[in-house]
Amino acid sequence: MRGPDRESLKQSLQRRRRLILEASRRTSADIDALRGAERDPEVEEASQSEQEQSKLAEVGEVEHREIAQIDAALARIDAGTYGVCRECGEEIEAKRLEAVPYAATCADCADRKERLAVATRLTRS
Ligand SMILES: [Zn+2]
């Protein structure tokens, strides 16, 4: 990948990372507001904070996964391996990178993995 593209790519990944963090902070604030309205003074402090933590973990999981993928993509840009499929070593399609800038595999490998996951689920059940 050429130099200038690399910088703008990093910037757009970092921007996306920030947006996810902001969105997840807003969601936490919403949950807090909701909980404040529902707060029952009879409920024990301990059980309340337990509930709080499990809800926040739920909200954060998707965001954390996406942020981890973005971080991995940023690391690949620095390492010079960005845009190369982790599975087969072929270049990832430009179209795919446009849609999923932190994609670590090409469309073929992603499809294969998805089919494999489905097959695994089917044989397990
Ligand atoms: Zn591949």
Side-chain angles (χ1 to χ4, degrees):
M1 181 168 289
R2 289 164 307 246
D5 289 339
R6 212 188 246 218
E7 275 315 302
S8 64
L9 188 67
K10 275 174 91 163
Q11 273 169 17
S12 84
L13 281 167
Q14 274 156 354
R15 197 162 48 232
R16 189 164 176 143
R17 194 183 192 282
R18 259 200 313 277
L19 286 174
I20 295 168
L21 282 175
E22 275 168 24
S24 85
R25 262 201 295 274
R26 264 201 302 280
T27 312
S28 311
D30 285 350
I31 290 175
D32 284 345
L34 202 70
R35 194 173 294 112
E38 284 176 347
R39 190 158 289 155
D40 180 353
E42 302 280 301
V43 177
E44 273 179 49
E45 220 24 61
S47 77
Q48 208 172 12
S49 75
E50 234 170 74
Q51 270 183 339
E52 200 165 319
Q53 274 172 2
S54 77
K55 265 196 185 174
L56 283 181
E58 222 172 89
V59 166
E61 203 188 320
V62 175
E63 283 90 349
H64 283 159
R65 206 176 309 151
E66 194 166 358
I67 284 172
Q69 285 177 308
I70 290 173
D71 283 344
L74 286 167
R76 285 198 301 275
I77 294 171
D78 284 335
T81 57
Y82 179 84
V84 176
C85 176
R86 197 174 55 188
E87 301 288 322
C88 67
E90 295 289 321
E91 272 192 40
I92 300 173
E93 303 83 349
K95 241 187 186 170
R96 176 165 165 76
L97 285 176
E98 247 170 65
V100 191
Y102 47 80
T105 56
C106 68
D108 283 349
C109 288
D111 278 357
R112 200 164 52 236
K113 262 179 131 174
E114 180 60 28
R115 277 200 299 274
L116 203 69
V118 170
T120 309
R121 274 201 297 278
L122 286 177
T123 45
R124 267 187 200 152
S125 58

